[in-house]
């Protein structure tokens, strides 16, 4: 199935970013809002304590699983927000690089934020997403 998501670039804005500035979807669609994917294993334990990249990998695996449960995939995502519990830009970049690895060519509009703390003990990374599926 082909994704109904169309990513938009804008030549009036810098091209030195690795994400699209906007995304469109033609109606009718089914919208999917995914809760923030966290670096938790099946037992609810935070994995890769102290490791931004390790947690980002688990977060993205969990995001893929949540999307699959709704009948969607990463290419159906239209917007993400990436949260990183750090004041160091290098930690944000580490998490972002893992996120980009999973997103591949589907460089949806996204916001990357450094935050003070996230909800689970030892949690460093979280990614929330909005996806759409074309109605057949």
């Amino acid at each position: 199935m082909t994704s109904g998501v169309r990513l938009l670039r804008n030549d009036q804005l810098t091209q030195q970013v690795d994400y699209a500035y906007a995304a469109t979807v033609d109606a009718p669609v089914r919208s999917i809002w995914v809760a923030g994917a966290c670096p938790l294993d099946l037992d609810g334990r935070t994995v890769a304590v102290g490791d931004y990249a390790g947690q980002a990998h688990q977060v993205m695996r969990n995001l893929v699983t949540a999307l699959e449960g709704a009948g969607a995939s990463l290419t159906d995502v239209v917007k993400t927000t990436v949260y990183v519990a750090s004041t160091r830009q290098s930690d944000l970049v580490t998490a972002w690089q893992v996120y980009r690895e999973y997103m591949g060519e589907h460089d949806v509009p996204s916001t990357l934020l450094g935050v003070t703390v996230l909800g689970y003990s030892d949690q460093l990374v979280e990614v929330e997403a909005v996806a759409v599926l074309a109605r057949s």
Side-chain angles (χ1 to χ4, degrees):
M1 183 161 143
T2 304
S3 174
V5 178
R6 192 174 101 209
L7 302 178
L8 305 172
R9 272 79 178 156
N10 187 320
D11 62 6
Q12 301 299 307
L13 298 169
T14 182
Q15 300 303 297
Q16 302 305 309
V17 297
D18 56 356
Y19 53 85
Y21 283 104
T24 63
V25 180
D26 292 326
V29 297
R30 182 169 66 105
S31 300
I32 303 161
W33 285 267
V34 182
C38 298
L40 303 177
D41 65 15
L42 283 174
D43 295 320
R45 292 184 302 253
T46 302
V47 303
V49 173
D51 179 359
Y52 287 91
Q55 286 199 9
H57 279 288
Q58 183 68 37
V59 162
M60 294 307 292
R61 288 190 297 268
N62 289 347
L63 178 60
V64 167
T65 301
L67 287 165
E68 287 173 348
S73 69
L74 288 175
T75 58
D76 298 309
V77 171
V78 295
K79 169 74 171 88
T80 61
T81 305
V82 180
Y83 301 94
V84 182
S86 180
T87 59
R88 294 179 359 164
Q89 190 176 33
S90 61
D91 295 332
L92 277 69
V93 170
T94 296
W96 180 258
Q97 289 172 334
V98 172
Y99 162 86
R100 290 295 317 132
E101 177 184 324
Y102 282 81
M103 296 304 291
E105 294 296 314
H106 191 65
D107 56 349
V108 300
S110 186
T111 301
L112 173 63
L113 299 169
V115 298
T116 304
V117 66
L118 291 166
Y120 291 98
S121 294
D122 301 312
Q123 182 182 0
L124 300 172
V125 180
E126 185 166 330
V127 176
E128 64 181 15
V130 177
V132 295
L133 293 172
R135 294 207 185 248
S136 44

